[in-house]
Amino acid sequence: MENTEKALIQRLNRIEGQVRGIKKMLSEESECPKILVQVSAVTAALNSFAKLLLTEHLKTNVADDLRSGKTESVDELIITLNKMLK
């Protein structure tokens, strides 16, 4: 999990930099299509972050709970996925 946590933090740092870049583009009155391309890149980066986080959650927390006979994690995961996929 420690390696994954580092990877997640690195991704968030890159995303944070991308968002700052978009803010700078706005203040410099860059062309809208260029800004929209950067927004798309941030969206893709956030989706990638979410996939990695979800994968780690499934491999650790949910799998451990299922092995222990706890099914509440699956219910919680379904609720979370429904919120994410609205």
Side-chain angles (χ1 to χ4, degrees):
M1 177 66 178
E2 191 171 315
N3 288 338
T4 303
E5 185 177 341
K6 286 181 183 180
L8 288 168
I9 289 170
Q10 288 174 345
R11 285 174 190 245
L12 285 176
N13 287 336
R14 281 194 297 270
I15 292 166
E16 185 179 24
Q18 287 175 297
V19 171
R20 278 195 306 271
I22 292 170
K23 186 176 178 181
K24 183 179 177 186
M25 291 175 80
L26 276 173
S27 67
E28 293 175 353
E29 299 182 7
S30 295
E31 296 176 9
C32 288
K34 290 181 181 180
I35 296 170
L36 289 169
V37 168
Q38 292 306 310
V39 169
S40 178
V42 169
T43 301
L46 281 170
N47 286 335
S48 179
F49 171 85
K51 285 186 233 178
L52 180 58
L53 183 60
L54 177 59
T55 299
E56 188 63 27
H57 180 62
L58 287 168
K59 286 182 177 179
T60 57
N61 301 58
V62 176
D64 290 345
D65 284 352
L66 288 175
R67 281 191 280 275
S68 301
K70 299 176 189 173
T71 60
E72 297 85 11
S73 290
V74 174
D75 295 333
E76 181 184 88
L77 179 61
I78 291 168
I79 291 167
T80 300
L81 289 173
N82 282 328
K83 288 179 183 179
M84 290 174 62
L85 299 174
K86 280 188 177 180

